[in-house]
Amino acid sequence: MFVRSCILIKMKFLDIISKNILGDNLIRDHREREDIIPGLKVKIVLKKDQRTGTRTIGVVKKLLTSSKYHPRGIKVMLEDGQVGRVQEFV
C-alpha cells in the first residue's frame, strides 16, 4: 500500500511538472496563446518599435492571434487600444 501511494504521488508530481505548474506559480510562455488572458499585465513591442525593441507596459484587453503558438509572441490589444506582440509578463 505504501509503495503504491508513493508511486501515485510521484506520477502526480511528474504530471504537474509536465504541465509547467509548480505549486501555485504558473510558468508562462509569451509565445503560447493559452498562457495569456485578458486582464494580465504584460510588456509588448509595438509594430513601430520592432527595430528598437522598445517595450510598452499595459493590460491585455483582447487576444488577436488565433493560433495556439507564435514564435515572436502572441499579438494582443491593450486596454488603451495599442496593439503589439507580448514579450514578457510583468
Side-chain angles (χ1 to χ4, degrees):
M1 185 70 170
F2 176 76
V3 173
R4 184 176 176 161
S5 296
C6 289
I7 291 171
L8 290 174
I9 290 170
K10 186 174 182 179
M11 289 173 60
K12 184 66 176 173
F13 178 75
L14 292 175
D15 184 48
I16 289 170
I17 295 299
S18 70
K19 292 180 181 174
N20 290 333
I21 300 172
L22 299 173
D24 293 334
N25 298 324
L26 182 63
I27 299 172
R28 293 196 161 116
D29 183 354
H30 69 278
R31 298 168 296 182
E32 297 280 345
R33 190 176 197 279
E34 67 183 22
D35 289 343
I36 301 171
I37 56 173
L40 191 65
K41 194 169 184 180
V42 295
K43 289 184 182 178
I44 65 168
V45 172
L46 303 171
K47 184 79 171 174
K48 68 177 184 148
D49 295 329
Q50 283 180 342
R51 288 184 185 203
T52 63
T54 302
R55 295 179 180 187
T56 303
I57 297 175
V59 178
V60 175
K61 176 180 180 180
K62 183 176 175 184
L63 280 73
L64 303 177
T65 300
S66 59
S67 63
K68 286 178 55 177
Y69 176 86
H70 194 283
R72 291 185 302 278
I74 300 299
K75 190 179 279 187
V76 298
M77 177 183 288
L78 300 180
E79 288 182 341
D80 63 5
Q82 296 184 90
V83 174
R85 295 199 181 272
V86 176
Q87 298 302 301
E88 64 183 284
F89 302 100
V90 179

